[in-house]
Amino acid sequence: MFLLFFFLIHGYGSVSGFVTDASNGEKLAYANVYLENTEYGGATNEKGYYIIQNIPSGDYRIMYSYIGYSLKTLHIQIQPDQNTTMNIELSPEVIEMEEINVSAERLRFEKEVEVSHVTFTPREIKSVPGLFEKDLIKTLQLMPGIVAMHDLSNKLYVRGGSPDENLVLLDGITVYNPSTHLFGLFSTFDPDAIGDAELYAGGFPAKFGDRLSSVLDVATKEGNSKKLAGNVSIGLVTSKLMFEGPIPKGSFLITGRRTYFDALVWAYAKITSDTISLPYYFYDGMAKINFNPTFNDRFTFAGLGGLDIITFETQTDTASKEKIDLEWGNRGTSLRWRRVFNPRFYGEIIGSWSNFLTHFRYQDYEDPTSNLHFYEEIIDYTMKSDFNYFSSETHTTDFGFDAKHLRIEYNLDVTEQRLVEQREHTNLYTVYLQDKWSVIPHILSLQAGLRVIYSTLGERKSVDPRLGLKYHITPNMAFNCSVGKYSQYLITINSQESYFSIFDFWRIIDTLHATPTSYHVIAGIERWLDDNTRFTVEPYYKHYYNLLLPSDNAMMFSAPSESLKAGEGYSTGIDVFFKKSFKDVFGWVSYSLCFTKRKIGNQYYSPRYDRRHNLNIVLGYTLPASIPVINKSVLNIRWYLATGLPYAEDLARYRYRHFYSRNDYWYTDYEWFVLNGPRDARRLPISHRLDMHLEKDFVLFGLNGSWYIDVINVYDKENILFHTWDYDEDPPEKTEYTLLPIPVPSIGVSFKF
Amino acid sequence: MQYRIIIFFILIFQITFISCGYDEEELYEPQLNVCCFLQGYQRPRCVIVDRSYSMDEPSEGFIPDAQVIMRGKWFVDTFAFSDFDGAYHSTNPFSNIYPESTYSLTVFRQDFDTVFAQTCVPGDFTIRFPQPGDTVTRTDTLVWTKSTGARYYYGYFVDWHQTGYHFWHIPDTTDTLVRMPIPYYLYDLLSGHYTIQIQAADVNYLNYSQFDENTDSLLQAGVEGGIGVFGSFVSHDVPAYFLTE
């Protein structure tokens, strides 16, 4: 009776809104929001949105806090059966950025039911030493469970999965070939434009699908909604420009990047009257426009585009003889409408177009019969919706619908005659539903989801259940568990085991083959030793069915192959991650133990990306003010130690004698044949490497700037990539090849305005 | 707790460093490499005994101290090594090879696995066309009776320089005659007198001659315990005149 009376006289209300950065309008994910001297509180989600429900009506003081930002306290009156909207801007304080991220990760630890998840800030991405250029993918390769094939590799092999099993999203646009620049050495993502990046190394939620291994979700910055700002960077290989600023009821951001080695070589040739030229360059750019017509609506237009171009022409004294043009690149746009329908119901609808094209033309001006023209592209039209319904304090329901039209076209013309003209297309329709249930608040949470996919090609469907659990053993330690099924309707037909691949050739799974699926089982412990120290241990097991595997012949460069072999496989291992941040020092240690096998027929083998052990140490240190010249600069070092990769070794040689049965002199004529071992016969030697990055801020003519020096392979470790045998020698002579035979320095400078 | 984590990572580091440097297990032990072809109605030809070599081993010549024994239905023949040609030769004057008979070969050498090999000589056959002295043109079809057990037929147009123009044919399995149009790849054959030689080969011969080191695995054409070939064939020839149109 007392409770009934209490309810009747009070009534309940709620408060909701967005928390953003007052300096530039960027969202603040996982900021703390709570009512002073009460138990009512919460945190913003990854979009910076929060809602606190079932607050008894009355007057309160609401507090917003985020490490690195000043605390904001406001008076609020909660009315019965009403929601109060409070969109808040927090002002940054002078505190290192990495601490902010640690804090966000800590809040995420308390709020979310997820495993194998890491987030990155631009500062972290830039702090990792890079070869000529900072790169998101290079930073991700330092996370547990992720390995790189070699010193220059820019592909992600996540927990024994190949790169084509990773879903890569940029502002909602699916990026099919994220690491295409400079023959796979640079990724599409410009670190200056990245707002944040999230990686699910496994056990990803029902919101994501269509890939077997992992999800990389990259969001560009929102664009500064307060003032015009920009950044110019000049490096050894590329120069970049970023410009951002406010527009009426919104903001914009635009970036551009181009290599200029070709221009420098051209200028040098002009000056010296030399004939040398560099027939390669790439450029890319991103753009984003935010428009907020009302408090509850936001429209975001995002676009990306880039192209790698090789143009090579041979000339006689008087005229061109032959010409080769090769172009490839990613393009895409998305339009996102985010709406707060009511304080409990929040959602967004995204329409996107993504395209990757490959274009090769060979023209022989003297003999047109040799002309060749190859054109391939993948086109993806997607309409996607994601909704969040905060049904109660203990339940949050996510659901959405996804319609995707995929089209792959490839043509081959020889001597202006069309030899191949192929068109593949399918429509994929997906619905998902996911509920996060706080069974025992702050102690036990469950997340159950279901993703159903229907493909019009072959009229096949997949039902992919997902289940996650988080149990807080103590407030600072939790047990995480996740199981799920994952399906993929696209594959690549080029070998993912090759050391270098400029781009992937995607194909839709045809009706003759079953849909590739994988099952993830992950269980781990996450422990926070203090607010800035995270420690995780995650064993996992992943099993694959219905894989389509290209042959192992392509070791160096991957080439498309239509003769795929059906197979299955598994990967299992344990990932350990320790991340720590002090005032002047931050860093992490990641260790992965992984066993990866694929099976064709009855034969198991280790694919070439099966690294057994992988240890990474990253350390950042702000040098003290007492050091001359480089005082207060940031020194980052990165060191790794890893097992060598498996490879097919020549085991022995023997004489093969040519037999001519019409005479008796057959045995004198022979040649040496080689006995090839299995594709995983041997492993390359252990590899390790130390890289350094030193960056210092300065002010020049009133402009804030910074310069950096990177040194890759500081102590000149020659990590062997492959070797060859010279069979003309007896015994055969072995020659080893490395990618970084010397320490490689690079420098750069950037200005902010 | 932090000390425990530091100790934990030091342990991981040590384990990683130790584990990263694999002790490579020996994946291959060198084997004997034996080559021998038998021809029907002939005495056994020589047996070549060689070996395979690990990648870091310098190669040697022939192996002179192996024990080589050939067995037929009516004979056992211990072969003897000849320094002259580096091959093993028959020592039993009663060793003869007959069609549709099975022969085995055992090669023993210390420090190597013993090689055991077996071949069944294909059955005899008769050339129906051309007959001796016939004229053959590009549009003609060679005809011979099928050889029992033959998996493949090799043939040559041998000119007066003893230059052989090679051709081959896989027989169909339903007819009792093998018919083979003059192959198009003999388009450059000039008019003249030739000896047309046709050989019916067993499966070991076929597997050996078509072996591809890049795609096939171990070369074992009728051989166990080692590598190599123990094949057999039956051969007939006929003189004919080839006329280009």
Side-chain angles (χ1 to χ4, degrees):
Chain A
M1 283 297 290
F2 173 78
L3 280 175
L4 181 62
F5 177 72
F6 182 84
F7 288 138
L8 285 173
I9 62 166
H10 276 87
Y12 290 84
S14 62
V15 57
S16 65
F18 289 91
V19 180
T20 53
D21 184 328
S23 66
N24 56 21
E26 297 282 336
K27 74 196 178 192
L28 293 178
Y30 299 96
N32 256 320
V33 186
Y34 54 96
L35 303 182
E36 195 178 34
N37 299 324
T38 72
E39 292 182 347
Y40 299 99
T44 57
N45 65 10
E46 71 275 9
K47 306 290 183 193
Y49 182 74
Y50 72 96
I51 179 169
I52 306 170
Q53 301 181 81
N54 296 327
I55 308 168
S57 58
D59 290 338
Y60 298 91
R61 284 171 65 78
I62 187 166
M63 305 180 79
Y64 298 87
S65 71
Y66 198 80
I67 291 181
Y69 288 73
S70 52
L71 179 75
K72 197 162 202 170
T73 306
L74 298 166
H75 173 261
I76 183 173
Q77 189 174 42
I78 301 294
Q79 301 286 347
D81 301 324
Q82 283 188 23
N83 178 71
T84 306
T85 300
M86 300 280 281
N87 291 327
I88 298 300
E89 292 180 338
L90 297 182
S91 299
E93 292 177 334
V94 183
I95 290 181
E96 294 298 320
M97 283 292 286
E98 56 268 28
E99 291 193 25
I100 296 165
N101 185 52
V102 170
S103 173
E105 283 184 334
R106 167 69 204 223
L107 286 163
R108 196 166 183 130
F109 160 73
E110 292 170 5
K111 290 273 296 175
E112 300 293 339
V113 182
E114 58 193 9
V115 294
S116 314
H117 179 270
V118 282
T119 55
F120 293 90
T121 62
R123 177 65 182 255
E124 286 173 311
I125 296 162
K126 288 191 216 171
S127 68
V128 174
L131 181 69
F132 305 131
E133 182 96 15
K134 302 289 172 289
D135 204 289
L136 169 65
I137 303 288
K138 289 275 193 299
T139 308
L140 293 171
Q141 287 171 343
L142 308 179
M143 291 294 111
I146 302 175
V147 300
M149 285 273 276
H150 53 74
D151 284 331
L152 300 182
S153 172
N154 209 13
K155 291 203 160 192
L156 294 175
Y157 295 85
V158 184
R159 287 183 172 172
S162 54
D164 60 345
E165 296 168 13
N166 306 326
L167 176 65
V168 180
L169 297 167
L170 178 68
D171 286 329
I173 303 165
T174 305
V175 182
Y176 285 93
N177 285 287
S179 297
T180 60
H181 289 323
L182 201 57
F183 308 100
L185 300 187
F186 296 144
S187 76
T188 303
F189 311 113
D190 178 359
D192 289 337
I194 294 173
D196 57 57
E198 294 182 61
L199 177 81
Y200 293 90
F204 44 91
K207 178 182 176 181
F208 299 108
D210 302 339
R211 293 295 186 277
L212 299 180
S213 275
S214 73
V215 175
L216 172 61
D217 190 8
V218 182
T220 54
K221 289 176 180 170
E222 298 293 308
N224 197 321
S225 61
K226 303 297 177 185
K227 61 175 183 180
L228 283 172
N231 190 40
V232 178
S233 302
I234 301 165
L236 279 182
V237 173
T238 64
S239 282
K240 295 182 287 188
L241 172 70
M242 187 188 78
F243 195 52
E244 58 184 333
I247 58 171
K249 293 188 175 182
S251 61
F252 76 93
L253 176 143
I254 186 164
T255 71
R257 173 170 64 164
R258 192 194 189 280
T259 55
Y260 48 79
F261 254 14
D262 59 317
L264 293 177
V265 172
W266 177 84
Y268 174 81
K270 283 286 176 195
I271 293 166
T272 61
S273 301
D274 205 334
T275 55
I276 60 165
S277 66
L278 183 73
Y280 169 80
Y281 67 96
F282 78 77
Y283 65 85
D284 62 17
M286 288 187 246
K288 194 170 190 176
I289 300 169
N290 286 305
F291 177 60
N292 310 308
T294 71
F295 274 122
N296 292 327
D297 294 285
R298 163 175 281 207
F299 291 90
T300 303
F301 171 81
L304 73 97
L307 213 56
D308 288 58
I309 297 169
I310 295 174
T311 303
F312 186 77
E313 199 163 8
T314 60
Q315 292 187 321
T316 60
D317 292 340
T318 53
S320 295
K321 191 178 170 190
E322 56 187 358
K323 190 180 180 192
I324 294 171
D325 291 300
L326 177 60
E327 297 175 350
W328 66 93
N330 286 294
R331 298 179 296 180
T333 56
S334 70
L335 181 63
R336 182 192 307 248
W337 172 37
R338 188 191 72 191
R339 178 169 174 78
V340 181
F341 296 95
N342 65 54
R344 289 181 170 191
F345 188 34
Y346 163 99
E348 59 185 28
I349 297 171
I350 309 167
S352 71
W353 165 75
S354 176
N355 170 241
F356 183 84
L357 65 89
T358 310
H359 187 188
F360 173 78
R361 182 185 286 275
Y362 171 76
Q363 289 173 279
D364 189 330
Y365 297 116
E366 294 178 348
D367 178 16
T369 59
S370 303
N371 287 356
L372 194 71
H373 182 204
F374 175 77
Y375 185 83
E376 163 152 338
E377 67 175 337
I378 178 167
I379 305 156
D380 173 335
Y381 296 101
T382 300
M383 183 62 77
K384 180 178 166 63
S385 61
D386 296 304
F387 298 99
N388 310 104
Y389 181 59
F390 304 93
S391 51
S392 71
E393 281 188 345
T394 55
H395 280 278
T396 303
T397 305
D398 299 342
F399 61 93
F401 174 75
D402 188 330
K404 186 185 285 284
H405 175 74
L406 275 171
R407 200 165 77 231
I408 294 167
E409 300 178 358
Y410 45 101
N411 304 328
L412 175 63
D413 297 344
V414 178
T415 322
E416 310 303 330
Q417 295 285 323
R418 181 141 296 181
L419 282 191
V420 177
E421 181 171 1
Q422 199 74 29
R423 301 277 183 277
E424 298 177 6
H425 67 89
T426 188
N427 295 326
L428 292 172
Y429 301 103
T430 306
V431 289
Y432 75 87
L433 177 66
Q434 177 176 284
D435 186 64
K436 188 170 72 182
W437 177 26
S438 180
V439 183
I440 306 170
H442 308 299
I443 294 179
L444 179 64
S445 301
L446 276 175
Q447 184 166 284
L450 187 70
R451 186 177 179 89
V452 180
I453 310 127
Y454 174 76
S455 169
T456 53
L457 185 67
E459 297 183 346
R460 64 179 87 187
K461 68 174 185 296
S462 300
V463 180
D464 295 353
R466 318 271 168 90
L467 183 66
L469 176 149
K470 180 172 240 175
Y471 175 66
H472 280 269
I473 301 163
T474 69
N476 293 320
M477 183 160 68
F479 169 76
N480 291 306
C481 177
S482 177
V483 294
K485 181 188 169 209
Y486 305 85
S487 307
Q488 183 165 333
Y489 286 83
L490 271 177
I491 55 158
T492 54
I493 57 168
N494 53 306
S495 174
Q496 299 290 309
E497 296 186 40
S498 304
Y499 290 135
F500 300 98
S501 69
I502 301 174
F503 32 76
D504 289 330
F505 294 87
W506 290 90
R507 294 289 182 270
I508 299 163
I509 295 286
D510 61 27
T511 53
L512 300 174
H513 295 98
T515 309
T517 53
S518 68
Y519 293 84
H520 298 194
V521 181
I522 304 161
I525 294 286
E526 183 171 355
R527 172 93 162 92
W528 283 81
L529 303 172
D530 56 51
D531 279 350
N532 294 315
T533 310
R534 182 186 180 207
F535 177 65
T536 61
V537 180
E538 271 188 11
Y540 63 88
Y541 179 80
K542 180 162 57 175
H543 203 103
Y544 295 96
Y545 293 98
N546 308 323
L547 291 175
L548 289 172
L549 304 165
S551 68
D552 63 332
N553 294 332
M555 184 184 84
M556 291 300 293
F557 294 96
S558 64
S561 164
E562 300 290 345
S563 57
L564 306 176
K565 294 174 181 170
E568 57 183 82
Y570 70 84
S571 63
T572 184
I574 184 166
D575 291 344
V576 181
F577 188 51
F578 176 79
K579 188 175 181 181
K580 175 79 180 170
S581 176
F582 291 113
K583 190 175 181 183
D584 295 329
V585 181
F586 86 100
W588 68 83
V589 178
S590 70
Y591 166 74
S592 301
L593 170 68
C594 182
F595 297 84
T596 301
K597 292 284 182 186
R598 296 286 182 269
K599 183 183 173 191
I600 296 176
N602 293 319
Q603 190 72 40
Y604 276 102
Y605 68 92
S606 297
R608 203 170 284 132
Y609 46 83
D610 173 37
R611 259 199 211 289
R612 187 72 69 245
H613 303 271
N614 198 29
L615 178 69
N616 280 290
I617 298 172
V618 176
L619 194 65
Y621 177 57
T622 305
L623 299 175
S626 55
I627 296 179
V629 184
I630 54 171
N631 57 332
K632 292 185 179 175
S633 57
V634 178
L635 175 69
N636 300 108
I637 62 166
R638 175 258 175 145
W639 185 77
Y640 87 88
L641 170 70
T643 314
L645 300 176
Y647 68 99
E649 175 65 297
D650 295 348
L651 299 179
R653 63 193 172 119
Y654 58 92
R655 293 183 180 94
Y656 179 89
R657 296 171 193 284
H658 295 284
F659 178 58
Y660 307 108
S661 52
R662 68 184 182 84
N663 59 48
D664 286 334
Y665 304 104
W666 58 277
Y667 46 83
T668 55
D669 184 11
Y670 68 85
E671 62 181 301
W672 285 104
F673 269 22
V674 176
L675 188 64
N676 300 303
R679 60 201 290 178
D680 56 355
R682 294 258 192 259
R683 280 184 183 273
L684 293 168
I686 183 173
S687 59
H688 51 89
R689 196 183 81 208
L690 177 70
D691 303 335
M692 293 180 72
H693 169 81
L694 182 71
E695 184 163 357
K696 181 170 170 52
D697 294 337
F698 63 85
V699 178
L700 186 69
F701 305 123
L703 283 176
N704 290 319
S706 65
W707 56 260
Y708 69 83
I709 299 173
D710 281 3
V711 182
I712 303 296
N713 197 14
V714 172
Y715 57 78
D716 191 19
K717 172 73 172 75
E718 295 189 355
N719 294 317
I720 296 166
L721 182 68
F722 67 98
H723 57 251
T724 56
W725 292 99
D726 180 359
Y727 288 98
D728 290 335
E729 302 294 326
D730 192 1
E733 207 169 86
K734 189 179 188 177
T735 307
E736 295 174 334
Y737 295 88
T738 61
L739 284 173
L740 295 172
I742 55 167
V744 181
S746 57
I747 56 172
V749 63
S750 68
F751 292 96
K752 290 176 184 168
F753 54 87
Chain B
M1 184 67 186
Q2 293 201 22
Y3 285 110
R4 272 186 279 170
I5 286 176
I6 290 167
I7 291 166
F8 178 77
F9 269 103
I10 289 170
L11 278 174
I12 278 184
F13 175 76
Q14 288 185 334
I15 292 167
T16 309
F17 209 94
I18 294 164
S19 309
C20 281
Y22 272 77
D23 279 336
E24 300 279 6
E25 59 180 289
E26 193 57 56
L27 291 168
Y28 181 74
E29 290 283 341
Q31 293 173 295
L32 291 175
N33 179 10
V34 175
C35 294
C36 179
F37 289 92
L38 303 180
Q39 182 174 354
Y41 303 114
Q42 302 278 323
R43 297 205 59 237
R45 296 184 180 210
C46 61
V47 178
I48 308 293
V49 180
D50 192 2
R51 52 167 294 206
S52 58
Y53 298 91
S54 298
M55 299 305 287
D56 54 353
E57 281 185 293
S59 67
E60 298 164 357
F62 304 104
I63 292 180
D65 53 351
Q67 189 179 16
V68 179
I69 300 169
M70 188 179 291
R71 290 182 175 84
K73 194 172 181 182
W74 310 108
F75 70 89
V76 175
D77 193 351
T78 300
F79 279 49
F81 182 74
S82 165
D83 287 324
F84 175 70
D85 59 2
Y88 289 80
H89 292 272
S90 168
T91 57
N92 185 345
F94 301 105
S95 303
N96 281 302
I97 307 300
Y98 296 103
E100 298 186 66
S101 299
T102 299
Y103 299 89
S104 68
L105 180 71
T106 306
V107 181
F108 171 80
R109 208 274 191 166
Q110 202 173 5
D111 301 329
F112 289 91
D113 290 343
T114 300
V115 173
F116 180 79
Q118 188 166 289
T119 182
C120 183
V121 182
D124 202 3
F125 65 97
T126 308
I127 298 173
R128 292 283 176 82
F129 180 82
Q131 291 295 307
D134 281 355
T135 297
V136 178
T137 66
R138 286 186 204 284
T139 55
D140 284 334
T141 296
L142 305 178
V143 182
W144 62 89
T145 60
K146 185 179 281 183
S147 161
T148 309
R151 289 286 298 276
Y152 215 61
Y153 295 91
Y154 291 89
Y156 304 89
F157 278 72
V158 184
D159 64 16
W160 64 280
H161 293 295
Q162 292 300 303
T163 303
Y165 297 89
H166 182 229
F167 63 88
W168 56 93
H169 185 63
I170 301 173
D172 65 57
T173 53
T174 54
D175 200 349
T176 55
L177 292 176
V178 180
R179 300 168 198 277
M180 182 183 178
I182 301 292
Y184 69 91
Y185 45 80
L186 294 180
Y187 65 91
D188 56 348
L189 215 57
L190 301 174
S191 294
H193 291 282
Y194 289 87
T195 299
I196 299 174
Q197 192 176 66
I198 294 171
Q199 295 165 350
D202 78 331
V203 66
N204 299 341
Y205 189 150
L206 171 67
N207 291 340
Y208 185 76
S209 60
Q210 298 195 340
F211 182 79
D212 182 349
E213 64 166 336
N214 297 312
T215 56
D216 297 334
S217 52
L218 204 58
L219 174 58
Q220 287 183 317
V223 169
E224 292 176 8
I227 54 178
V229 59
F230 185 39
S232 58
F233 61 97
V234 175
S235 181
H236 288 288
D237 51 48
V238 59
Y241 185 79
F242 183 77
L243 178 66
T244 54
E245 300 281 320

